[in-house]
Amino acid sequence: MTPGERAPDPREARSPAEFLARLQALKDWSGLTYRELTARAEARGEVLPRSTVANMLSRTTVPREELLTCFVRACGVGPEDLGEWQAVRRELAARKVYEPVAGDPTDADPVAAAVSAADPPVLSPADPLAVSAADPPVLSPADPLAVSPADPPVLWPRDPAEPQPPDAVSGTAGRPGTRSRIRRALVAAVALTGLVLAGVSLVAVLRDGHGAHPPRTLTAPAAGDVRIRVIGQDLCLGERRGARSGQIHQVPCADAKVPLYSLAETAGGRWRIVSDHPDYGPGCSGIPSGGRIPGAAYEDSECGDPSRVEEFALEPYGTPVVGYRIVPADSATPGSCVTVVGDRSAAWARLAQAPCAPDAAGQLFSFDRRP
């Protein structure tokens, strides 16, 4: 904030897009980081999480009045100018003029952007966050462990009614058909051995979940520094540095350095997943809005927001255990698990709350110790 420089004037806004641009300009004018805005709001006894501010600035509609009020106050606007922000917001909300806001759709909160404050959430049957419990595992045709259609066929003994080849009836070849039968038996034995080995390999692939990656040792949850790895992939949980939303993605494990995670055990065998971000400092992974919205983003934000689910049950899956589910504790949507949505084999696929699937596809994790 430059001394003597006036705050942006909201009365110049003629649409929600222009109003949101003024809000972004107001934050820039304040010179405050998201963490500092949160601290200012807390000093007033108000709650203003980083992710909430980021989502508000990425939306296509004007924010709720109470959120606007909290944000504008935290930016340093006085009571007189605050009334102008509230008046412009009411006028735009009454006109219901909606325009898209330029931004990175990857890092905007897809749930917050889709749900108007005045409307109940509506779930589309084509929702890309829907997780089918009936999806079978798919084996890639390029999988080196897959059985090749060019493998030698199994040759069974010749029907006695068929004519014998010349060498089978030749007196110089020993008993009639001996050489031919031995050759067919050897081919059958080799083919059978190949099928058995392919079957064993296939079982190993299915148990590990992805044939292109070697099996890794599963690590159970324990308090301390961890790297949260997606079972069956060489992918770990992290954020996109520079993004404002706190959205958690699966990223190559070698690049999973923002933020750093650790586990802290709470009462009743529950866990808090603590994040340490190089730009925003300490925080907690969680589900916004108490988990009331199906498909809500799994995101990092400041700890202690009462509107978020920040405690989880880390439940073992399978006998023997092949991974651990991250289950939001006391979510308003029971039976939900943290899930990789979209292309589960792709880097930067995001995570969200989704129904726990019987096969736990995209819902199993290992809590590897971080060096």
Side-chain angles (χ1 to χ4, degrees):
M1 183 189 306
T2 304
E5 181 184 1
R6 287 186 55 83
D9 190 345
R11 293 172 297 181
E12 298 174 359
R14 296 292 181 267
S15 68
E18 294 180 1
F19 187 73
L20 289 166
R22 297 296 185 281
L23 287 176
Q24 180 64 59
L26 179 63
K27 179 186 177 299
D28 297 339
W29 171 83
S30 74
L32 300 173
T33 66
Y34 288 100
R35 288 188 65 199
E36 290 169 335
L37 288 171
T38 298
R40 279 200 171 194
E42 288 177 350
R44 291 175 169 270
E46 299 172 331
V47 177
L48 187 66
R50 167 176 65 90
S51 61
T52 301
V53 177
N55 292 339
M56 175 188 73
L57 297 176
S58 300
R59 289 178 61 121
T60 59
T61 58
V62 294
R64 292 176 289 107
E65 184 162 329
E66 56 267 30
L67 174 57
L68 171 73
T69 301
C70 183
F71 172 75
V72 171
R73 281 176 179 164
C75 287
V77 172
E80 186 174 316
D81 292 336
L82 172 61
E84 294 180 353
W85 285 93
Q86 293 170 330
V88 174
R89 183 253 167 219
R90 292 191 198 104
E91 179 184 350
L92 292 174
R95 284 162 45 190
K96 293 186 176 179
V97 179
Y98 302 110
E99 295 183 2
V101 178
D104 182 2
T106 302
D107 295 320
D109 184 353
V111 177
V115 181
S116 168
D119 298 326
V122 178
L123 296 181
S124 166
D127 189 350
L129 298 183
V131 178
S132 170
D135 287 346
V138 178
L139 294 181
S140 167
D143 190 340
L145 296 180
V147 179
S148 168
D151 284 344
V154 178
L155 300 179
W156 302 103
R158 185 182 299 273
D159 190 324
E162 294 181 12
Q164 298 294 322
D167 67 336
V169 297
S170 170
T172 62
R175 273 184 359 189
T178 299
R179 184 181 302 173
S180 178
R181 284 196 297 271
I182 292 175
R183 185 163 48 246
R184 287 197 295 269
L186 287 174
V187 171
V190 170
L192 183 59
T193 302
L195 289 173
V196 170
L197 291 176
V200 171
S201 300
L202 181 59
V203 169
V205 169
L206 294 177
R207 285 175 63 88
D208 189 52
H210 196 281
H213 302 278
R216 294 195 181 195
T217 302
L218 177 67
T219 307
D225 296 339
V226 296
R227 186 170 61 177
I228 306 174
R229 178 171 52 85
V230 182
I231 292 296
Q233 307 288 344
D234 192 20
L235 299 170
C236 296
L237 303 194
E239 293 183 44
R240 191 187 300 273
R241 186 158 190 183
R244 302 178 300 181
S245 66
Q247 171 69 60
I248 298 175
H249 304 263
Q250 61 175 13
V251 304
C253 289
D255 301 330
K257 301 174 183 177
V258 178
L260 299 176
Y261 289 109
S262 60
L263 291 181
E265 192 167 9
T266 62
R270 295 178 177 179
W271 297 85
R272 179 167 284 183
I273 302 174
V274 181
S275 61
D276 184 8
H277 198 286
D279 301 324
Y280 304 119
C284 289
S285 301
I287 306 292
S289 304
R292 289 189 298 275
I293 303 175
Y298 179 57
E299 61 181 17
D300 290 324
S301 187
E302 285 77 11
C303 300
D305 182 350
S307 69
R308 301 173 75 234
V309 176
E310 294 183 346
E311 291 189 352
F312 300 89
L314 305 180
E315 299 180 351
Y317 175 89
T319 305
V321 177
V322 294
Y324 292 84
R325 281 171 157 165
I326 302 177
V327 180
D330 300 326
S331 171
T333 307
S336 296
C337 288
V338 171
T339 306
V340 179
V341 296
D343 185 351
R344 299 188 188 119
S345 65
W348 298 106
R350 66 189 193 87
L351 282 81
Q353 174 181 259
C356 296
D359 62 357
Q363 298 174 343
L364 297 181
F365 304 90
S366 175
F367 296 88
D368 301 343
R369 308 307 296 171
R370 178 159 51 86

